[in-house]
Amino acid sequence: MGLVLGIESSCDETAAAVVRDGREVLSSIVASQAALHAPFRGVVPEIASRSHLREIVPTIEAALEQARVSPRELTGVAATSQPGLVGSLLVGASAAKAFAWLHELPIVAVDHIAAHLYAALMEGAPTQLPALALVASGGHTALYYYKNPLEFEMLGCTNDDAAGEAFDKVAAILGLGYPGGPAIERVAFGVDPKPAAIAVPRVSSGPFDFSFSGLKTAVRYRVLPPGAKEKRHLTESEIATLAAGFQHAAVEHMALITMAAARARGARTILVGGGVACNDLLRKRLASACAPDGLDLRIPRPALCSDNAAMVAGLGAAMLDAGRRDDLGFPIYPSGVPQVHSSSPAPAEVRRP
Ligand code: KG4
Ligand code: ZN
């Protein structure tokens, strides 16, 4: 597989990494823009692309330097091409193309969601596939039947907000700052969620679909009851209880649907990825659900769950190994296009319309 340089810039993290043989992370540099977006309580696309422009070259240089790898030792370049913010994606993909052209390296365009899933395969002993795979991030929440890194099929997804988006919005409602996931986890730690009485969502659109916007509304109504003109003043302990109630309901929702899908598809392995997979309650809840039946639960270390380029380099290595190549004109797809279907005749369908 060799040494692959991965580049990720789909949202608000400028990242570059060098990975050996699709698994061994030699370097993983992430320049976070969280502080730039925090005053706005969410990502501002224009600020994101300008920051990527400033950071991309130093980030790539730092990744090569930390890995002690020179461009001529690389075997390929992988860059996120979808989904994500248009300006953000353009910066990383363009830098990757320039780098590949300059050093005459093969390049592959990588799907960000597929990379989050691949991250779960980068640690530990090889596991049994097919697996059931959950991605829970700031932009996406979906379940997949995962045959291998290049072939998987979506079983269900969120009808409204992504899980991470709900964490971020609830944190904003509770005045806990951005990004919301870690803030909610921090204040909810050790707090009993029951007094908040926030119900676990039920979804009728499909057995493996999710919905998080009702949870956000439930929290908002506690702060600003329907018809009320002014927000209630919440004590610290009321905020902590609401945060714990929300977190518990969101985690239960993801765990129940993931386990139901694993049973329905007879999967013995569960892969979890995306920033929300950093959440300790989710990790513990899934671990205790998997233990009785001996299911192999793979949740990567937090640095591989939130946005990073090691997962992009890892999946890129698997794609290059399978013979995939993109030309230097490959487009970016901000909304994403379905990457791989189990019915596709050959894995070389990276050439998109
Ligand atoms: O995968 P990611 O880094 O970026 C996207 O692809 O969106 O996910 C970011 C999301 C944010 O919404 C953030 O609040 C959430 O992951 N997140 C968490 C935790 N850490 C990050 N959510 C819950 N608990 C956490 N500990
Ligand atoms: Zn992500």
Side-chain angles (χ1 to χ4, degrees), residues 300-322:
R301 60 182 183 270
L304 285 178
C305 289
S306 49
D307 284 351
N308 67 89
M311 65 183 190
V312 175
L315 177 57
M319 293 167 75
L320 288 163
D321 236 32

Side-chain angles (χ1 to χ4, degrees), residues 179-316:
I184 289 198
E185 178 160 26
R186 204 164 40 245
V187 301
F189 182 74
V191 176
D192 182 6
K194 281 192 231 75
I198 295 179
V200 178
R202 285 168 171 270
V203 182
S204 56
S205 58
F208 309 128
D209 284 343
F210 302 87
S211 170
F212 295 94
S213 70
L215 292 177
K216 172 191 67 190
T217 309
V219 174
R220 186 188 302 120
Y221 280 174
R222 306 297 173 85
V223 179
L224 184 70
K229 296 226 166 50
E230 274 183 39
K231 280 187 177 177
R232 286 182 51 222
H233 173 75
L234 298 177
T235 64
E236 262 182 39
S237 122
E238 285 174 316
I239 290 174
T241 300
L242 279 175
F246 160 76
Q247 178 178 243
H248 172 263
V251 163
E252 266 314 285
H253 185 41
M254 287 184 276
L256 289 173
I257 293 176
T258 302
M259 297 315 293
R263 271 193 303 278
R265 299 305 292 251
R268 303 291 307 155
T269 304
I270 295 184
L271 312 177
V272 188
V276 181
C278 295
N279 187 279
D280 208 44
L281 189 67
L282 179 64
R283 297 169 85 96
K284 289 194 171 124
R285 174 68 176 82
L286 286 172
S288 59
C290 287
D293 295 330
L295 300 186
D296 188 8
L297 174 67
R298 298 296 176 104
I299 311 182
R301 60 182 183 270
L304 285 178
C305 289
S306 49
D307 284 351
N308 67 89
M311 65 183 190
V312 175
L315 177 57

Side-chain angles (χ1 to χ4, degrees), residues 23-344:
R23 277 173 71 97
E24 193 190 339
V25 182
L26 300 188
S27 65
S28 181
I29 308 290
V30 180
S32 171
Q33 305 176 2
L36 295 179
H37 300 290
F40 306 95
R41 300 193 298 184
V43 177
V44 182
E46 180 69 18
I47 292 177
S49 15
R50 287 179 188 279
S51 174
H52 284 307
L53 269 178
R54 278 193 304 277
E55 299 293 338
I56 192 74
V57 171
T59 303
I60 293 170
E61 284 171 350
L64 290 169
E65 195 181 311
Q66 198 182 85
R68 295 177 184 279
V69 164
S70 73
R72 94 185 90 80
E73 292 172 276
L74 292 169
T75 41
V77 180
T80 303
S81 66
Q82 65 169 47
L85 299 169
V86 58
S88 294
L89 284 168
L90 266 176
V91 175
S94 306
K97 289 173 184 180
F99 189 95
W101 176 78
L102 181 64
H103 300 290
E104 298 181 350
L105 288 164
I107 189 167
V108 278
V110 167
D111 179 274
H112 183 82
I113 309 300
H116 271 308
L117 294 176
Y118 183 87
L121 297 174
M122 290 177 74
E123 294 173 323
T127 188
Q128 189 183 326
L129 297 178
L132 208 285
L134 169 71
V135 167
S137 72
H140 297 85
T141 299
L143 268 180
Y144 299 85
Y145 184 65
Y146 191 89
K147 290 187 176 174
N148 62 56
L150 308 180
E151 283 182 86
F152 45 88
E153 128 199 23
M154 194 195 278
L155 301 178
C157 64
T158 180
N159 285 333
D160 38 60
D161 293 345
E165 188 181 355
F167 270 90
D168 293 336
K169 286 178 175 170
V170 167
I173 294 168
L174 295 176
L176 295 174
Y178 174 85
I184 289 198
E185 178 160 26
R186 204 164 40 245
V187 301
F189 182 74
V191 176
D192 182 6
K194 281 192 231 75
I198 295 179
V200 178
R202 285 168 171 270
V203 182
S204 56
S205 58
F208 309 128
D209 284 343
F210 302 87
S211 170
F212 295 94
S213 70
L215 292 177
K216 172 191 67 190
T217 309
V219 174
R220 186 188 302 120
Y221 280 174
R222 306 297 173 85
V223 179
L224 184 70
K229 296 226 166 50
E230 274 183 39
K231 280 187 177 177
R232 286 182 51 222
H233 173 75
L234 298 177
T235 64
E236 262 182 39
S237 122
E238 285 174 316
I239 290 174
T241 300
L242 279 175
F246 160 76
Q247 178 178 243
H248 172 263
V251 163
E252 266 314 285
H253 185 41
M254 287 184 276
L256 289 173
I257 293 176
T258 302
M259 297 315 293
R263 271 193 303 278
R265 299 305 292 251
R268 303 291 307 155
T269 304
I270 295 184
L271 312 177
V272 188
V276 181
C278 295
N279 187 279
D280 208 44
L281 189 67
L282 179 64
R283 297 169 85 96
K284 289 194 171 124
R285 174 68 176 82
L286 286 172
S288 59
C290 287
D293 295 330
L295 300 186
D296 188 8
L297 174 67
R298 298 296 176 104
I299 311 182
R301 60 182 183 270
L304 285 178
C305 289
S306 49
D307 284 351
N308 67 89
M311 65 183 190
V312 175
L315 177 57
M319 293 167 75
L320 288 163
D321 236 32
R324 294 201 186 189
R325 300 285 182 274
D326 278 293
D327 57 50
L328 290 172
F330 73 75
I332 53 145
Y333 290 96
S335 314
V337 287
Q339 266 274 296
V340 181
H341 303 283
S342 45
S343 56
S344 58

